């Protein structure tokens, strides 16, 4: 029988989604989501999941609430499990209670998965604890979405005005003058600290501090608009002291990541950890080969080789997949010396029980060959599991050194079918400061998806290259590199980006 899951997506930072929510997103048949739910979560949906947007922006409803209710019920009656993903918490100004009542009326099973509400998270990311023993022992969540022309407010303003509680208003920016005036008219001091947090917990978060007397004017001057949380009370005075998120070195900086989606998570997570707004634009798709007969034969003949050289994490991953397919494991590498080009590749080997015999200090082919020669590889038989199409410098240099080299394709890369429109729109809006390239293939495929002549008009965007080989490819397209690390690794690349800010 179908189940509808009313899932809180949290305030926006994907790290604040609950484990239960992620489990439901990954397994649901239908995803029905709102404007304020982070669209990154949709990447976790199954390929065959039906994804439906029903949110609203600036009062423009894609579907009114009654039609949303009908849609949920319709999909449930088709026998499909539904994730109804809502920003924040479904039961805190999320109309989840109304949707649950409708489901009860028609006899559809449902579950509620709470989410972190913006009224707690946004202040926390702005350095404001909503309770503090030196300031207040209570907090009140209030809707600020009332028509200021109404004859009588539905709120008990006298209680709000005379209370010492922290007041947190949702959806109240348009009514900020009315809110401030009612609080002052009912006893709150004009100099009471007030904070606004816009897009709380996201890379584009902004906050401001004012007083009840001046907040409406200050918010208008600073351009604060929805979605913003309004916090009223003495705890707001702690913002400057306890602020942490808005001090991140890359807060609000737009960075395009062109790596394959399978490899991008490390770079994406590090950048987000520094506050960057990451635009995932995978230009490469990593795919299985159609036929692995050649790989299986090579694995069964590993005893013929002296060295096994892995040039990427993907090479390790796909090689080990085939080991498992034919019922073997790491023990078959006994007697072989193993090289890993780069620390990430070395870590991938260690995870599989292999401590590499050689990891070069630098990751360009010439330096790798020099290090291998120092380890006595000259004249030895070498197997290199890698992508079907890759640079031939390393195999050729090893052959020049007298090695017998066999390149073994274990996967292939293809041009990814990324939608360029989101990145193009962000570039047009001036939201992107950096485009990162981590291989020659990412460069070539990026300019396949966005022609060089088109990209050339974005003069202020900086190009980031992970190393000299990638840099040479960038130069071939007529561009210069603005940021390049001394250490040709993802952490090294990010360190240089941080230094650039």
């Amino acid at each position: 029988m179908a189940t509808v899951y009313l899932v809180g997506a949290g305030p926006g930072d994907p790290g604040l989604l609950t484990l239960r929510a992620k489990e439901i997103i990954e397994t649901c048949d239908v995803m029905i989501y709102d404007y304020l739910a982070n669209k990154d979560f949709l990447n976790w949906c199954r390929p065959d999941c039906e994804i439906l947007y029903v949110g609203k922006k600036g009062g423009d409803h894609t579907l009114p609430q009654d039609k949303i209710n009908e849609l949920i019920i319709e999909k449930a009656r088709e026998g499909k499990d539904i994730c109804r993903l809502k920003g924040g918490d479904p039961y805190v100004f999320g109309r989840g209670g109304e949707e649950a009542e409708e489901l009860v009326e028609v006899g559809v099973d449902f579950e509620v998965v709470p989410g972190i509400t913006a009224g707690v998270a946004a202040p926390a990311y702005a350095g404001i604890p909503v309770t503090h023993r030196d300031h207040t022992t209570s907090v009140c969540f209030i809707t600020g979405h009332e028509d200021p022309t109404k004859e009588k407010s539905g709120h008990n303003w006298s209680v709000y005005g005379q209370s010492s509680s922290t007041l947190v208003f949702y959806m109240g920016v348009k009514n900020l003058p009315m809110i401030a005036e009612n609080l002052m008219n009912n006893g709150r001091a004009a100099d009471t600290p007030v904070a606004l947090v816009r897009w709380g917990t996201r890379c584009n978060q902004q906050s401001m501090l004012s007083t009840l007397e001046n907040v409406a004017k200050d918010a208008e001057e600073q351009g604060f608009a929805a979605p913003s949380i309004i916090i009223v009370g003495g705890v707001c005075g702690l913002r400057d002291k306890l602020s942490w998120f808005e001090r991140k070195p890359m807060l609000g900086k737009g960075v395009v990541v062109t790596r394959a989606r399978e490899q991008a998570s490390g770079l994406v997570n590090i950048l987000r950890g520094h506050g960057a707004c990451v635009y995932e634009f995978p230009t490469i798709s990593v795919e299985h080969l159609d036929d692995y007969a050649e790989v299986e034969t090579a694995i069964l003949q590993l005893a013929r080789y002296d060295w096994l050289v892995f040039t990427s994490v993907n090479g390790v991953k796909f090689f080990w997949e085939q080991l498992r397919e034919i019922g073997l494991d790491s023990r078959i590498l006994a007697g072989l010396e193993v090289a890993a080009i780069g620390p990430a590749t070395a870590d991938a080997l260690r995870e599989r029980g292999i401590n590499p015999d050689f990891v070069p200090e630098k990751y360009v082919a010439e330096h790798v060959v020099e290090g291998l020669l120092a380890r006595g590889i000259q004249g030895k038989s070498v197997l290199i599991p890698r992508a079907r199409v890759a640079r031939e410098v390393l195999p050729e240099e090893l052959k020049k050194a007298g090695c017998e080299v066999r390149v073994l394709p274990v996967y292939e890369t293809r041009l990814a079918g990324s939608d360029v429109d989101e990145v193009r729109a962000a570039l047009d809006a001036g939201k992107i400061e950096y485009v990162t390239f981590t291989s020659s293939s990412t460069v070539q495929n990026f300019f396949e998806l966005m022609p060089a002549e088109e990209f050339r008009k974005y003069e202020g965007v900086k190009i980031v290259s992970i190393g000299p080989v990638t840099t040479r490819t960038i130069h071939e397209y007529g561009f210069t590199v603005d940021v390049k690390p001394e250490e040709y690794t993802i952490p090294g690349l990010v360190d240089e980006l941080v230094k650039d800010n």
Side-chain angles (χ1 to χ4, degrees):
M1 189 173 183
T3 301
V4 175
Y5 298 91
L6 304 175
V7 179
D13 182 343
L16 298 182
L17 189 77
T18 66
L19 293 174
R20 177 60 175 153
K22 185 172 186 288
E23 177 186 347
I24 292 166
I25 292 171
E26 291 172 334
T27 58
C28 67
D29 301 310
V30 180
M31 162 66 74
I32 301 176
Y33 73 101
D34 279 349
Y35 170 60
L36 293 180
N38 194 316
K39 286 182 68 175
D40 287 350
F41 300 146
L42 304 183
N43 294 330
W44 296 331
C45 292
R46 299 191 331 242
D48 62 339
C49 178
E50 183 180 5
I51 299 176
L52 302 170
Y53 171 64
V54 296
K56 62 179 180 178
K57 184 177 181 180
D60 181 18
H61 294 252
T62 301
L63 279 181
Q65 186 62 48
D66 60 334
K67 296 298 183 183
I68 294 174
N69 296 344
E70 290 177 12
L71 176 64
I72 295 170
I73 293 166
E74 174 191 336
K75 293 299 177 182
R77 284 176 169 163
E78 292 175 6
K80 297 176 179 178
D81 286 336
I82 299 162
C83 175
R84 173 69 174 106
L85 191 66
K86 307 171 75 69
D89 180 275
Y91 277 9
V92 180
F93 305 121
R95 306 192 73 170
E98 297 169 47
E99 293 175 359
E101 285 183 301
E102 290 286 335
L103 294 170
V104 170
E105 284 289 323
V106 297
V108 173
D109 291 341
F110 73 95
E111 293 184 18
V112 179
V113 180
I116 298 175
T117 183
V120 172
Y125 271 52
I128 301 169
V130 291
T131 65
H132 189 292
R133 64 190 303 171
D134 294 335
H135 296 274
T136 182
T137 57
S138 58
V139 59
C140 182
F141 295 145
I142 308 165
T143 179
H145 191 57
E146 279 203 322
D147 184 349
T149 64
K150 283 169 49 176
E151 290 185 11
K152 184 177 181 180
S153 170
H155 294 307
N156 191 334
W157 290 104
S158 62
V159 171
Y160 300 156
Q162 295 169 32
S163 169
S164 61
S165 297
T166 300
L167 307 179
V168 180
F169 289 88
Y170 291 64
M171 305 165 290
V173 174
K174 288 184 178 179
N175 293 331
L176 188 54
M178 178 270 291
I179 291 170
E181 182 179 355
N182 276 325
L183 289 175
M184 288 186 291
N185 288 344
N186 284 276
R188 283 267 177 160
D191 62 354
T192 300
V194 181
L196 268 67
V197 185
R198 186 170 191 238
W199 288 119
T201 79
R202 302 189 185 209
C203 63
N204 54 344
Q205 174 178 305
Q206 297 173 287
S207 67
M208 57 162 280
L209 187 63
S210 184
T211 61
L212 268 182
E213 184 178 29
N214 298 317
V215 67
K217 172 177 65 70
D218 291 346
E220 183 177 2
E221 289 176 355
Q222 296 183 40
F224 266 71
S228 295
I229 289 288
I230 304 164
I231 308 107
V232 180
V235 290
C236 296
L238 296 168
R239 169 180 172 263
D240 291 342
K241 181 179 181 180
L242 299 183
S243 175
W244 59 275
F245 185 68
E246 290 176 41
R247 293 177 180 171
K248 288 181 177 287
M250 294 191 68
L251 186 73
K253 299 293 184 180
V255 184
V256 175
V257 172
T258 57
R259 298 191 96 192
R261 194 174 299 280
E262 298 86 351
Q263 295 176 297
S265 59
L267 176 56
V268 168
N269 291 339
I270 297 172
L271 287 170
R272 283 179 174 159
H274 289 298
C277 297
V278 179
Y279 294 82
E280 291 191 66
F281 184 58
T283 60
I284 293 175
S285 173
V286 179
E287 307 286 349
H288 286 86
L289 302 178
D290 293 331
D291 186 355
Y292 275 93
E294 182 184 358
V295 178
E296 292 181 8
T297 300
I299 289 173
L300 295 172
Q301 295 174 352
L302 279 178
R304 296 173 50 183
Y305 299 95
D306 304 299
W307 278 84
L308 195 55
V309 179
F310 290 97
T311 59
S312 70
V313 172
N314 282 325
V316 175
K317 172 188 171 184
F318 285 93
F319 183 85
W320 251 264
E321 278 188 11
Q322 293 312 304
L323 277 184
R324 289 193 295 270
E325 282 290 321
I326 57 180
L328 299 173
D329 57 29
S330 301
R331 288 173 292 183
I332 198 171
L333 274 62
L336 281 170
E337 292 199 77
V338 180
I341 312 306
T345 306
D347 287 342
L349 285 167
R350 293 186 186 106
E351 289 170 5
R352 291 160 174 84
I354 301 296
N355 194 33
D357 300 286
F358 173 68
V359 182
E361 293 180 7
K362 295 182 179 179
Y363 317 119
V364 290
E366 295 79 6
H367 193 88
V368 172
V369 172
E370 182 182 325
L372 287 169
L373 289 173
R375 293 295 303 253
I377 201 172
Q378 187 171 7
K380 297 294 180 66
S381 182
V382 182
L383 183 66
I384 306 178
R386 63 165 213 188
R388 184 184 297 282
V389 177
R391 296 178 72 248
E392 299 297 333
V393 178
L394 178 59
E396 293 299 327
E397 290 296 320
L398 287 173
K399 287 176 183 177
K400 290 178 185 177
C403 297
E404 179 188 337
V405 180
R406 179 181 178 186
V407 170
L408 179 68
V410 293
Y411 67 97
E412 61 184 348
T413 58
R414 298 173 185 165
L415 178 68
S418 295
D419 185 355
V420 73
D421 290 343
E422 181 183 4
V423 169
R424 182 180 286 120
L427 285 165
D428 289 339
K431 294 181 178 180
I432 291 174
E433 281 78 21
Y434 301 96
V435 177
T436 63
F437 295 107
T438 55
S439 68
S440 291
S441 296
T442 60
V443 178
Q444 294 159 350
N445 289 3
F446 180 85
F447 291 120
E448 180 77 19
L449 294 165
M450 176 174 283
E453 286 309 310
E454 178 186 354
F455 184 67
R456 211 176 298 280
K457 71 181 181 182
Y458 302 112
E459 296 179 357
V461 177
K462 294 184 177 182
I463 293 178
V464 185
S465 170
I466 198 168
V469 176
T470 304
T471 296
R472 283 198 292 271
T473 308
I474 292 167
H475 289 165
E476 290 172 5
Y477 284 88
F479 295 93
T480 57
V481 172
D482 301 287
V483 180
K484 50 188 175 183
E486 293 183 12
E487 179 183 316
Y488 313 142
T489 64
I490 294 301
L493 182 149
V494 176
D495 286 345
E496 288 302 316
L497 281 172
V498 170
K499 290 177 187 176
D500 197 58
N501 285 275

